[in-house]
Structure formats: C-alpha cells, structure tokens
Amino acid sequence: MEQRKGVWLAVAAFIVWGLAPLFWNLLSSVPALELLAHRIVWSIPLLLAIIAARRRLGVLRDSFRSPSTAATALVSGVLLSINWGVFVWAVTADHIVDASLGYFINPLVSVTLGVMVLGEHLRPAQRLAVAIAAVGVAGMTVFAGVAPWISLTLAFSFGTYGLLKKRPSAAPPFEGLFMETAFIAAPALVFLAVLAGEGEGAFGVSPSTTLLLIASGAVTVAPLVFFGGAAQRIPLSMLGFLQYITPTMHLLIGIVVFGEVVSGGEWFAFVMVWIALIIYTVDNARTISGARRAVS
C-alpha cells in the first residue's frame, strides 16, 4: 500500500514538473530574472509552513547554527538559482526542447560527477552509456556549430546540486531547501524592490499576472513535497526510472504545443542519449535484481 502511494506521489511530482513549461509560458512577458526572483521569494512562506506543520522548526534552527551545513546550503542555493533561472528563461524564450535534453542528460552527468568527485567506479555498461551520451552532445555541437549550453547548464547545475545534497553536512530535504532559498532570497527581494521603486516590476500590473507570480511558489514547492514523499516509500531505482516522465513531457510540449523545431543535430543528440539511458537503466535494473537474489 505504501509503495503504491509512493508511485503515485512520484508520478504526481514528475507530471507537475513536466507541465511547468505551460505555467511559465503564461508569464512569458515577464523577464526571466524577475520570474526567478518571485519563484524564490514566494517559495519561502510555503516551505516554512511545511516545516512548522512537521514540527521541525528546531531542526531548522540547528541547521542554520552549523557553519558547514549553512555553507553547503549557500552553495546549493546558488546552483539551484542557476538551474531555476536558466529553465525559466529557456521556457519563455522558446527553448523547451533544449531544456528537455538537459534533464535527459542529467542522470548520466550525476554518474560522471560521482566518478570524478567521489571516486565511484563505473561498471562497463555504465561507462558505455556515458560515452554514448558524450558522443551525442559532441555531435550536436558539431552539427549546430555551438555547444548546447542550455542543456549542459541545466544538467551540470542540477547534477552538482545533487552531489552537494549527498554531503554529510547537508541539511534534511525540506530544511535544506528552505535554507537554500532563504540565502538567495535577500538579493531576490532587493532586486524586486528596486524594480518596484522604478515602476518596472510586473507585480501589481494586473490581477492575473500578480496571482500567477504568487502561485510560482506553489508550482515550485508542490512537486518537491510529492517527490519527498515518494522517495521515502519507493526504491531509488524506480524513482530514477519514473523521472524520465518530466523531460519526455517537456519535449512533447515544446514540439506539439509551442511548435519548436528540432534540428538534425538535436535529434542526433536525443537518440544517442536515449540509447545511453536504455543501457544505463537496464544495467542498473539487472544489478539491483542480482543483489536482491543474492540476499534472498
């Protein structure tokens, strides 16, 4: 029963993330940097309410008092703001397909970072998967004449963010996310205050825009709540498989809804990355199955 609930929570999280381009596109008239600032600011009260409801304000206070935990949260917050900002800009600038590729690449980037930073060892199939994905990105660069910076920035910023979350000094999930957003909320508030003082901010211009900006906090926090609940109930391997719902939806929305054109170089990269992901997923499933048989 709990595992079934976990699956539905994971599906809900990845669907909300997958539908995110539709929401952010409603605010395409608002500059991406301003959208990022609102996304950060309006997430704060919701996260604080969740932490209070879970009676973990004491844990939050202790986390802020730890220098190593605070430092990890600060760096994580910077990486998270880069990821959020680039994603919002990509959506509002008609680069949803590029964003989709970034999140397809992300798991393989995480594996690579694990090897480079944590000294983890890759199985032969994993090395093959990473190599094929690298060929795909390199091929896209050759075809397009420029590196896919949107895809790579999204993949590496979130991959590095995930790496930091594995540090012993990292705060628990919700407390950590609150700290990360709290650290970057100060410059976001200053930026919004300056815009308001100059009469250039989008907040308050129209009721619909204002409500959407406020809702950006819920759009940011809700899938994280679902994801957190899922992670406690289902195996990481299942969670990893379900995560491909999000970039698949991004790709379909970019092509079908917003009519983005996928170039030959992009198709080459997608096909190579998909092949790599199939190899990686099958190898991972076989390894987990073998481990379970050994235990039983």
Side-chain angles (χ1 to χ4, degrees):
M1 186 66 181
E2 280 297 296
Q3 187 174 50
R4 181 182 300 177
K5 184 177 181 180
V7 170
W8 283 112
L9 285 170
V11 170
F14 294 127
I15 287 178
V16 173
W17 273 323
L19 293 173
L22 298 176
F23 174 82
W24 295 114
N25 200 264
L26 295 174
L27 290 163
S28 58
S29 61
V30 182
L33 192 59
E34 186 176 354
L35 283 180
L36 172 62
H38 278 288
R39 185 176 188 178
I40 293 168
V41 169
W42 293 110
S43 296
I44 293 288
L46 286 177
L47 286 168
L48 187 60
I50 291 170
I51 294 170
R54 299 178 74 218
R55 298 180 180 179
R56 292 179 63 87
L57 289 174
V59 175
L60 179 62
R61 182 181 61 251
D62 293 341
S63 297
F64 268 113
R65 289 175 175 174
S66 168
S68 59
T69 300
T72 299
L74 175 59
V75 178
S76 298
V78 172
L79 289 168
L80 200 59
S81 65
I82 291 171
N83 186 272
W84 286 354
V86 171
F87 179 75
V88 168
W89 179 85
V91 169
T92 56
D94 299 325
H95 288 285
I96 301 173
V97 170
D98 292 327
S100 169
L101 179 60
Y103 289 115
F104 274 120
I105 295 173
N106 179 67
L108 299 173
V109 167
S110 296
V111 170
T112 303
L113 289 173
V115 173
M116 295 173 61
V117 180
L118 302 179
E120 297 177 353
H121 296 285
L122 294 184
R123 296 184 294 274
Q126 291 177 315
R127 289 198 295 269
L128 177 62
V130 171
I132 291 174
V135 169
V137 174
M140 181 178 174
T141 302
V142 172
F143 279 119
V146 61
W149 69 269
I150 295 173
S151 305
L152 294 176
T153 301
L154 289 173
F156 276 93
S157 61
F158 200 72
T160 308
Y161 173 79
L163 190 67
L164 286 175
K165 300 295 277 186
K166 290 181 176 292
R167 290 174 60 89
S169 59
F174 287 114
E175 291 77 11
L177 185 59
F178 178 86
M179 293 175 69
E180 292 155 12
T181 51
F183 280 128
I184 57 179
L189 280 170
V190 171
F191 175 68
L192 292 176
V194 171
L195 285 180
E198 296 176 350
E200 296 181 0
F203 191 82
V205 171
S206 70
S208 59
T209 298
T210 300
L211 288 174
L212 286 171
L213 289 173
I214 294 174
S216 66
V219 171
T220 298
V221 173
L224 291 168
V225 174
F226 297 149
F227 183 83
Q232 295 175 344
R233 293 175 171 85
I234 62 176
L236 188 61
S237 57
M238 185 181 297
L239 200 61
F241 178 76
L242 291 173
Q243 75 174 324
Y244 298 121
I245 292 173
T246 295
T248 301
M249 290 180 67
H250 289 171
L251 178 62
L252 292 174
I253 288 172
I255 295 173
V256 177
V257 179
F258 296 109
E260 291 188 19
V261 177
V262 184
S263 68
E266 288 174 322
W267 277 126
F268 175 78
F270 272 115
V271 170
M272 296 299 282
V273 169
W274 288 333
I275 292 172
L277 289 174
I278 290 171
I279 293 172
Y280 174 78
T281 303
V282 170
D283 176 73
N284 195 44
R286 285 178 176 173
T287 302
I288 292 173
S289 177
R292 287 175 177 172
R293 285 197 298 268
V295 171
S296 60

